[in-house]
Structures are given as C-alpha cells and as structure tokens.
Amino acid sequence: MTKIDWDRIKSGVDRERARMIWRPYGAPQIMSLEASALHDAPISVPWNIPEKLAVSVAITGAFFRHPQNPNQPLTPEAIGDSANEVLEAGASTVHIHVRDDEGFNVLSFERFKQVIEPLKKKFPSLAVDGCLVPALDGEWEIMKRVLESGLLDAAPVNATATYVGDSLFAKPAPVLMEKTRLIVESGAVPEIAVYTDGDVSNADRFLIKSGLIKTPAVWLILPALPGCSPMENPRQMIDGLTRSAAAIRDIDPDGVIMVCAAGRASMYVATLAAVMGLHIRIGMEDTYWLWPHRDDRIQSNRQTFELATQLAAVVGRPVATQQEYRELIGAAPPENAASERAVATGT
C-alpha cells in the first residue's frame, strides 16, 4: 500500500500559504482566445473547413432487403417517394440505386429514368448520382445507356478489390479505367469510392496519375462494412477515418471528401466526418442501424436526414443547398445538363 508523507505535504502547503502561483503578466487582460497581450500576432483564427455541410441521402443501396429492414424502399415508387421526401426536407443530393421485382439490385435504364426524371423536374438544381456497377452479362451496355442519357450528374468509380460482407467485390484495373473514361466523356462527375486506405493508392495509380481524373476530385469514403476499414469500436473509427482522409489529402489536398454512414458506425462516423470538416452521406444504403451501441432499425431516410440536420446545427455548418452541392462537385449547370439530356434521349 502506498504511504503518503502527510507531514511533508502540510509543510509544503504552509510554505505556499495555501495559494496557487499567480502572475498575471498580461493584466488587466488575463486571457484572450485570439491574441496575447505580449505581442500583436493572432493566436487563434477560424478553422479552414467548409462553411456548408453537404448531406447526401443514399436511398436504398444494393444489399439490404426486407428481412434485414422491413422499412427498406425497394420498388421504383418507394425509392422515388423516399428521395422526394428528403429533397423536400432540404437534402443536398440523393444517391440512387434501383431494384428488380424481387428486391435485388439491378442496372435498368427504365427504372433509373422512372425514379430520376420526376425528381429532376421538381428540383431543377438537383445533381443526382447513381450506382452503376455492371456485374452481370449485358449490364455494361445498360450502364453506357444510362450515362449517355444524361440522367446522372455524377457516378462513383469503385477503386477497390475487397470482400464486402460475404462477396468478393473487385474492379479490375482496365474496367475501372474504362468506366471512368465513359463517365467523364458523358459529362458526369466521377466520384472516387474507396473502402480502405489501400484503395486510395489504387485510385492514385490508375485514375489520377493516368490523368483520367483531375484534382481536386470528388471522393467517397465507404468504411465500416465487413471487409472495409474496420470500425468495431470508437478507436478504430477515429483511427480509420483520419488515416483514410489523410491518405487522400496527401495526393489531393483540395479534394471534396464525403464520408458514408455504414455498418454499426453509421451516424457516429457521419458525426466524426462533420466535425473533421468533411461531407456526409447518410440513409439506408450501407446500414440498417441508427446507432453503434443499439439495435434500433432505421425507420426511413427522412429520419436519418433529420438527424443530419441536427448534426449540422451542432457543428455550425448549415446543410448545403442542391445548387451549392452542384457547384461543390463541379457538375454542369442544370440548364446545360438538361439540354444534353434532351439531346441524348431525343426529347
């Protein structure tokens, strides 16, 4: 057991007359958060982070069906209604997947058109991105048709080779590069999607150093799903996100980085991203949990967006408007995009 010399402590207290040491050299100003009384150089200046927080809502994704979350939007009507709801509430953008009649992810020009065209008509400034991952025979040509139609203002390119859940998800380098070329030539913005910090190296080698994508670029960090950057506790979440963001900043200091709520980390990783000055994607694509420490299922995309607006208020970064988001990612002005879409579709 530790023995404390209380006699020596009492002697020390008496010597100091029971007072702290206090020398106010800057009196009458004791302390300022902005300057020192001893020189005129600024000490603390506003942080260099974006004033606005772009909030994307990923409406459904490719993975989850009603057995995982009975609230998951699966039909084109449900996907469109959910997207309309969050856009009316002020979301900066939406990320679109479409499903087939059995509820599985599908590449379908008709279904993308059914969901996106009414949104574009109602929200003229809206810049939409959609997931185009051809995995089955014939889907490459469908992807090209969607791009050529001008329905999308942006599309992710997945610079990855990893196991996501119980499936191997690998984008062969030639396919990665050719898809990027097609996105750029369609007039859409390529969004570099990375799942681990190693994917940042893939993107740098194949897409940036090749000149296919110019910097500053648009990045999506998709962590926390099984097989992606592990985020099974707060330390992993903080270490993993800061490492991935730093790897991106090393090659693209001014890039636009959006962090996607995923897995159990869900809204916690979105909160960390907002505090770091990054942008966020929330919604029902990459998770069906609201919180990492409970099993609450997401009730709707509107619910996650309302949480994001509270988060934006807490960190003092108002949610970016749809026009501000379009400008942030460098998408074509809506009137130009609409004209190109009309030419492509013959309308």
Side-chain angles (χ1 to χ4, degrees):
M1 182 175 178
T2 301
K3 182 179 180 181
I4 300 174
D5 190 339
W6 288 108
D7 289 338
R8 185 176 291 272
I9 288 174
K10 183 179 184 306
S11 173
V13 170
D14 292 343
R15 184 175 64 249
E16 300 299 336
R17 297 165 59 187
R19 299 184 306 178
M20 66 174 287
I21 298 171
W22 178 249
R23 301 288 188 272
Y25 297 111
Q29 175 178 291
I30 304 304
M31 183 180 71
S32 166
L33 297 177
E34 297 141 316
S36 168
L38 306 179
H39 62 76
D40 62 0
I43 291 175
S44 179
V45 298
W47 290 6
N48 183 26
I49 63 174
E51 171 68 18
K52 294 294 184 76
L53 174 66
V55 179
S56 173
V57 184
I59 303 300
T60 190
F63 306 126
F64 311 127
R65 298 166 70 238
H66 287 163
Q68 284 99 3
N69 187 351
N71 305 304
Q72 199 79 20
L74 298 180
T75 67
E77 293 79 9
I79 294 166
D81 288 347
S82 185
N84 181 75
E85 187 176 31
V86 297
L87 290 169
E88 283 189 334
S92 307
T93 185
V94 288
H95 173 71
I96 300 297
H97 287 246
V98 290
R99 307 290 190 102
D100 64 16
D101 290 340
E102 302 301 317
F104 293 104
N105 190 68
V106 67
L107 276 186
S108 165
F109 172 75
E110 290 74 18
R111 294 192 181 215
F112 271 116
K113 184 177 179 181
Q114 182 180 352
V115 171
I116 294 171
E117 277 198 341
L119 300 176
K120 292 268 192 175
K121 184 175 181 180
K122 185 172 181 178
F123 304 97
S125 297
L126 177 63
V128 173
D129 73 327
C131 188
L132 303 174
V133 180
L136 304 175
D137 289 343
E139 289 189 333
W140 183 262
E141 293 304 316
I142 297 172
M143 178 195 76
K144 290 169 64 176
R145 186 182 179 194
V146 174
L147 288 172
E148 290 165 358
S149 74
L151 280 171
L152 299 179
D153 301 277
V157 286
N158 312 93
T160 193
T162 187
Y163 282 96
V164 179
D166 295 332
S167 61
L168 176 61
F169 182 27
K171 189 66 67 73
V175 175
L176 172 68
M177 296 178 73
E178 175 64 3
K179 178 180 177 181
T180 302
R181 182 186 71 81
L182 292 171
I183 294 172
V184 171
E185 290 190 355
S186 77
V189 176
E191 302 167 317
I192 305 172
V194 295
Y195 298 71
T196 70
D197 53 352
D199 294 345
V200 179
S201 176
N202 296 337
D204 186 33
R205 289 182 295 139
F206 297 124
L207 302 180
I208 294 175
K209 283 188 166 64
S210 68
L212 278 170
I213 293 181
K214 308 296 184 185
T215 57
V218 179
W219 297 78
L220 301 174
I221 298 179
L222 296 105
L225 288 170
C228 302
S229 293
M231 294 187 175
E232 299 301 326
N233 55 60
R235 177 191 55 77
Q236 286 187 348
M237 181 183 73
I238 294 167
D239 289 351
L241 183 55
T242 54
R243 184 176 61 249
S244 292
I248 291 171
R249 291 291 184 226
D250 284 342
I251 61 174
D252 189 5
D254 299 315
V256 175
I257 301 177
M258 178 168 283
V259 178
C260 305
R264 277 210 174 267
S266 58
M267 286 301 297
Y268 274 37
V269 73
T271 301
L272 177 59
V275 170
M276 290 172 62
L278 308 177
H279 303 283
I280 62 174
R281 189 175 86 185
I282 44 85
M284 300 177 75
E285 172 166 0
D286 295 313
T287 188
Y288 40 79
W289 286 307
L290 274 175
W291 318 113
H293 61 299
R294 298 206 299 258
D295 289 332
D296 305 50
R297 290 309 201 257
I298 295 173
Q299 298 300 305
S300 69
N301 283 299
R302 174 66 181 265
Q303 179 189 30
T304 66
F305 179 68
E306 288 174 349
L307 289 171
T309 60
Q310 295 175 42
L311 170 60
V314 167
V315 300
R317 298 178 60 198
V319 175
T321 66
Q322 291 156 26
Q323 178 61 33
E324 288 169 337
Y325 178 74
R326 175 179 287 276
E327 294 168 0
L328 176 69
I329 67 171
E335 59 273 13
N336 294 0
S339 175
E340 292 169 4
R341 185 162 58 251
V343 170
T345 59
T347 59

